[in-house]
Amino acid sequence: MFDLWARVPNLAQDALVACALFLPLGLIATALWRGFAPLPLVRAMLRRFWGTNLVFVVLIAVSVAMGIALIAQERALRAGMAQAADKFDLVIGAPGSQLSLLLASVFLQPSDVALVSGALYDEVAKAQNVDIAAPLAFGDSFEGAPVVGTIADFLTYLSDDRIEGRVFGAETEAVIGALVPLEIGAEFSPAHGSVALEEDSHAHAGVHFEVVGQMARTGTPWDHAILVPIEAVWEVHGLANGHAPAAAHDDHETHAHAQDEDHAARAPAAHPIGPPFDPAYFPGTPAIVVHTSELWANYALKSQFSRDGEAMGFFPGTVLAQLYGVMGDLRQAMSVMSLVSQGLVAAAVLSGLFILMRLFRRQVAMLRALGAPNRFVVAVIWTYATSLLLAGTVAGVILGAGAAQVLSLVVTARTDVVVTATLGWSEVHLALGFLCGVSLLALLPAWGVLRRPVAEGLRA
Amino acid sequence: MRAAEAAALPLDLSINGLVMHDPAGRVLLDVADLSVRAGKSLGICGPSGAGKSTLLHALSGLRRATSGQILWGEHDVQAMTPSQSAAFRARYTGMIFQDFLLFDELSALDNAGLGAWFRPRGERAKPRSKAGAILRDLSVPQTARSVASFSGGERQRVGVARALASDALILLADEPTASLHRAAAEKLGDDLVALSRSGGATLITVSHDEALLARMDRVIRLENGKIVAGDAHV
């Protein structure tokens, strides 16, 4: 049976679950309505206490919306984070916290991480099947946008070659993310430090970059980043630039830089940039983002570069999955809380229905006095209650979708990870489950009405 | 006797040894013998709390007697199950209430033809058209507007139309003129008696309205649940 179910396509499974949740509703309606026409009276009841009915609908809608918005948002956040890590198949860094390195490299969050040596970088860059081995350098920023040093190939890879203008070709050139408030041709001077460490930041006076390109939107924190040649970041911090002095075009200028301790006062030198780097002049990098020509090669490289005390290779996607796993309990707790809150609302709605039935007591007694069969009376009351539930659920789904969109905008603005919440089958199932469950319970007030003496109802 | 044969018989009312107590054991009704021939009208008067409405509810099967029989022809309403009792009311009786008990949000026709909605689709047209005809006879405006805007007299005439729309052979009216001004009460009394007679229905009316009671074939007076005046047989 399980095997058979497993063979059903996912879409069909979701649709079948939705149908199964809706089925009891359809069966009850069919059984109650057969041979009767309860709708005119239901419409009359809905119009009778429309204000109270509206409060019911709003109460139900808010409850359903909360559940739906939470579920949709949580799923969208996971999808957004996975999307952000999509280009980061394998990251190699110094041994330590994978999470810290993940936050630093994928999400550009300031983290205190150790550096890997030039020799290791060289080994990675020359390893079989490695297409791109991009070193990263952090530490500077411009008006809140992190300035990240890397290589041109990584830009092309990160943006899928969707770059307006061109990639940087000299140390004084920069490529900006899609959301950086600069234009091509603009110049800027970075400040040392990040947004989070603003009090420590100071300007690299005299260091200027010209924006020569802008990446298309990636939906990741890199949209807010400014990417410059890694040599420039090293040099403005008084480090070697990754290349042997002989390789530099302007040996005199490079030599002068090496002598000058006030690195902030100097502009980066103009010479060939990018790999290959000379291990002897490689100042170190906190992370190497590796892209391979073959998927399987990632596993081999991870194994090859996971060495005690020297290097740590990891898959950001796996770390995120582990993180979700750790947070799974929290998610489950949230789901349970959402269900409990909906259960409480269901109980409140049910109590409200019992109270409403008292308001309709004389009308119901009159129907029974006129000889209306019990099934007709139940059909009228159940359809009335289910109409409120249906209206509230539909409104809740719409409201929930809207709330999830707003939450997505807030989360996107706060994390730079593009989060797009859309309605999925989980939300449809939640809404249908709520509707079905409470509409089944709505038979109770209908049954309760039948237990009351008609004569008393007529005098009520 | 088969149901079809029983249905064809005239629904004479016959009460034998009817006793009804409240939960505290106090006697609410004690009617040893009362009969009304089909098509006749009976007025019931008496002070408040005398048991008039209780008798009316017992006649329709809405209240259970402690003992005794209420026969409408061959139908003993006190021996019926609740669903049998409901079916009997739907088939044979029409009820008129002091404060009309209409659905204010519905039109006059929808209120008068309300009984059609709990009949199978094929049987709905007849009571609806009859309701319309009775409303015309009673000069009730048949517009789409709801009865909430109707006068008291118009609303009660809608109530009368509702009671008669399903070809009721028994009309049970509880203070039908109590909420109306004099002129409206007079007109309603005339209409009620005329329509019940023309339809051959037995009319039993609980009322304090002397003018309405004067239109009945017979009037009995109840006090403390017992008939203290009036002819018990008509």
Side-chain angles (χ1 to χ4, degrees), chain A residues 35-37 40-41 44-45 47-48 362-363 366-373 376 454-455 458-459, chain B residues 53-54 57 62-63 86 89-90 95 97 99 101-106 114 117-120 124 162:
Chain A
F36 297 145
L41 287 184
M45 288 172 80
R47 282 160 58 191
R48 170 63 62 94
R362 295 201 73 205
Q363 272 71 24
M366 176 269 287
L367 282 176
R368 297 176 69 195
L370 296 184
F376 178 78
V454 180
L458 289 172
R459 288 176 173 176
Chain B
S53 294
T54 304
H57 289 155
L62 292 176
R63 290 194 70 155
R89 286 194 298 275
M95 298 189 78
F97 307 97
D99 50 0
L101 277 179
L102 303 177
F103 277 94
D104 282 353
E105 298 76 16
L106 298 178
L114 187 145
W117 289 328
F118 46 86
R119 292 184 177 211
R124 284 176 206 154
R162 180 177 64 192

Side-chain angles (χ1 to χ4, degrees), chain A residues 427-454:
Chain A
E427 291 80 82
V428 172
H429 292 161
L430 179 79
L432 281 176
F434 176 79
L435 178 63
C436 180
V438 185
S439 69
L440 278 173
L441 292 174
L443 288 168
L444 289 175
W447 177 68
V449 161
L450 295 180
R451 288 171 54 85
R452 296 210 181 94
V454 180

Side-chain angles (χ1 to χ4, degrees), chain B residues 222-233:
Chain B
L222 276 182
E223 281 182 19
N224 296 320
K226 291 184 177 177
I227 299 172
V228 293
D231 189 351
H233 303 278

Side-chain angles (χ1 to χ4, degrees), chain A residues 234 239-246 278-284:
Chain A
W234 283 332
L239 304 167
N241 64 15
H243 304 281
D278 186 334
Y281 294 89
F282 190 94

Side-chain angles (χ1 to χ4, degrees), chain A residues 175-225:
Chain A
V175 173
I176 55 176
L179 302 178
V180 173
L182 287 173
E183 290 178 352
I184 294 174
E187 290 197 0
F188 68 92
S189 292
H192 184 68
S194 64
V195 189
L197 304 168
E198 208 163 351
E199 61 273 19
D200 296 332
S201 64
H202 60 269
H204 288 296
V207 178
H208 293 283
F209 287 98
E210 182 193 356
V211 178
V212 296
Q214 184 166 32
M215 293 193 296
R217 187 93 193 259
T218 62
T220 72
W222 289 75
D223 287 334
H224 281 280

Side-chain angles (χ1 to χ4, degrees), chain B:
Chain B
M1 181 179 292
R2 289 184 312 181
E5 289 169 351
L9 291 173
L11 295 180
D12 295 331
L13 171 64
S14 173
I15 296 177
N16 301 304
L18 182 72
V19 177
M20 193 178 282
H21 294 100
D22 68 8
R26 190 174 67 92
V27 175
L28 295 175
L29 270 181
D30 184 0
V31 180
D33 183 26
L34 177 67
S35 62
V36 180
R37 276 184 289 140
K40 294 290 182 182
S41 58
L42 173 72
I44 303 171
C45 66
S48 296
K52 307 184 294 294
S53 294
T54 304
L55 177 57
L56 212 59
H57 289 155
L59 291 174
S60 59
L62 292 176
R63 290 194 70 155
R64 289 275 156 190
T66 310
S67 61
Q69 264 190 329
I70 299 176
L71 292 168
W72 287 101
E74 297 294 325
H75 305 279
D76 184 353
V77 292
Q78 288 296 317
M80 291 176 180
T81 64
S83 57
Q84 286 172 332
S85 175
F88 177 81
R89 286 194 298 275
R91 171 69 185 83
Y92 295 113
T93 71
M95 298 189 78
I96 300 161
F97 307 97
Q98 177 179 341
D99 50 0
F100 328 129
L101 277 179
L102 303 177
F103 277 94
D104 282 353
E105 298 76 16
L106 298 178
S107 67
L109 182 60
D110 281 345
N111 268 293
L114 187 145
W117 289 328
F118 46 86
R119 292 184 177 211
R121 186 185 294 270
E123 298 175 21
R124 284 176 206 154
K126 192 182 168 197
R128 293 266 308 171
S129 69
K130 180 153 191 193
I134 297 169
L135 287 171
R136 270 192 302 280
D137 290 348
L138 292 170
S139 305
V140 176
Q142 285 190 63
T143 62
R145 71 187 164 100
S146 73
V147 296
S149 59
F150 282 25
S151 69
E154 286 173 329
R155 286 160 72 85
Q156 192 57 296
R157 290 206 291 283
V158 173
V160 170
R162 180 177 64 192
L164 290 165
S166 56
D167 289 326
L169 293 175
I170 302 161
L171 281 178
L172 304 173
D174 193 358
E175 302 281 7
T177 59
S179 300
L180 307 180
H181 59 75
R182 194 62 255 154
E186 290 290 338
K187 178 161 178 16
L188 186 97
D190 290 342
D191 290 338
L192 184 59
V193 172
L195 283 169
S196 64
R197 279 185 182 149
S198 66
T202 305
L203 172 63
I204 297 180
T205 303
V206 166
S207 183
H208 287 99
D209 182 347
E210 292 296 336
L212 178 62
L213 291 171
R215 290 176 170 87
M216 301 293 113
D217 293 324
R218 179 166 53 110
V219 176
I220 58 170
R221 182 175 178 81
L222 276 182
E223 281 182 19
N224 296 320
K226 291 184 177 177
I227 299 172
V228 293
D231 189 351
H233 303 278
V234 66

Side-chain angles (χ1 to χ4, degrees), chain A residues 159-174:
Chain A
S159 62
D160 289 322
D161 207 13
R162 294 176 302 144
I163 298 176
E164 187 188 346
R166 59 178 174 81
V167 295
F168 45 67
E171 279 187 34
T172 54
E173 293 178 346

